[in-house]
């Protein structure tokens, strides 16, 4: 039984580095993903390479209003 499959992960910094690697790994495990990054083109590229259909949000996590809106 895969405990990750079907669960949801929200990843900030998902367009590069550890965030990108984690998005790829969790996608392979069947998780539903919400990916967030300030770099729109890189974020879209990561979204296109995944097997699943992640939700992509282009925003700056230092913007408190944008982060509150993400939660809603």
């Amino acid at each position: 039984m895969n405990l990750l499959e079907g669960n949801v992960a929200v990843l900030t910094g998902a367009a590069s580095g550890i965030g990108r690697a984690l998005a790829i790994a969790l996608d392979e495990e069947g998780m539903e993903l919400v990916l967030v990054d300030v770099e729109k083109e890189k974020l879209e590229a990561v979204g296109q390479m995944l097997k699943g259909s992640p939700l992509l949000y282009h925003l700056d996590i230092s913007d408190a209003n944008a982060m509150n809106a993400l939660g809603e």
Side-chain angles (χ1 to χ4, degrees), residues 3 20 24 28 33 41-44 46 56 61 63:
L3 297 178
R20 179 180 179 272
I24 293 167
E28 288 290 326
L33 300 175
E41 289 86 19
K42 287 184 178 181
L43 180 64
E44 290 173 351
V46 171
L56 305 177
I61 64 168
D63 180 344

Side-chain angles (χ1 to χ4, degrees), residues 5-70:
E5 189 172 348
N7 287 311
V8 178
V10 178
L11 301 174
T12 60
S16 62
I18 293 171
R20 179 180 179 272
L22 190 53
I24 293 167
L26 294 177
D27 177 66
E28 288 290 326
E29 293 296 325
M31 287 195 81
E32 301 293 327
L33 300 175
V34 178
L35 306 180
V36 179
D37 205 287
V38 70
E39 297 185 58
K40 186 177 181 178
E41 289 86 19
K42 287 184 178 181
L43 180 64
E44 290 173 351
V46 171
Q48 290 176 357
M49 69 185 300
L50 301 178
K51 294 178 185 177
S53 299
L55 297 176
L56 305 177
Y57 289 94
H58 170 242
L59 60 88
D60 184 345
I61 64 168
S62 69
D63 180 344
N65 291 330
M67 288 302 292
N68 287 333
L70 176 65

